[in-house]
């Protein structure tokens, strides 16, 4: 994925799982990932944290629920990227 902020990516994992890497964080950046193929429950999307925290934890985030929109917003170095699932 390109290093852009404030974008929505339509992620179709119908054929296989894949990983999306977050850009270098900047406060107020947000990125959205949409389950375009309704397949995250069988072929999850992994969001690679690219060295920053996600929800205050040093772990990548796995999207494994179908038909979801995941919004990722960078808050600060302590929280890192905050995940919102819709």
């Amino acid at each position: 994925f390109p290093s852009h902020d404030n974008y929505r990516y339509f992620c179709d994992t119908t054929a296989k799982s894949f990983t999306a890497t977050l850009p270098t964080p900047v406060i107020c950046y947000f990125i959205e990932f949409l389950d375009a193929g309704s397949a995250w429950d069988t072929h999850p999307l992994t969001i690679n944290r690219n060295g920053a925290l996600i929800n205050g934890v040093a772990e990548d985030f796995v999207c494994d629920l179908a038909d979801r929109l995941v919004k990722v917003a960078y808050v600060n170095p302590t929280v890192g990227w905050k995940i919102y699932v819709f």
Side-chain angles (χ1 to χ4, degrees), residues 58-75:
E59 294 179 6
D60 294 338
F61 185 79
V62 178
C63 307
D64 57 3
L65 298 172
D67 297 317
R68 297 290 193 249
L69 170 70
V70 174
K71 186 170 190 166
V72 184
Y74 189 74
V75 178

Side-chain angles (χ1 to χ4, degrees), residues 25-27 51-57 74-81:
V26 173
I27 292 175
L53 299 177
I54 293 181
N55 292 339
V57 179
Y74 189 74
V75 178
N76 60 40
T78 304
V79 174
W81 296 96

Side-chain angles (χ1 to χ4, degrees), residues 1-25:
F1 288 87
S3 295
H4 296 292
D5 67 312
N6 308 333
Y7 280 87
R8 177 176 288 166
Y9 293 100
F10 294 84
C11 302
D12 187 350
T13 61
T14 303
K16 66 177 183 171
S17 296
F18 63 89
T19 298
T21 301
L22 292 170
T24 302

Side-chain angles (χ1 to χ4, degrees), residues 13 33 35 39-47 61-66 68 70 72 83 85:
T13 61
F33 300 94
D35 183 8
W40 286 357
D41 57 341
T42 54
H43 297 108
L45 171 72
T46 299
I47 298 176
F61 185 79
V62 178
C63 307
D64 57 3
L65 298 172
R68 297 290 193 249
V70 174
V72 184
I83 300 283
V85 180

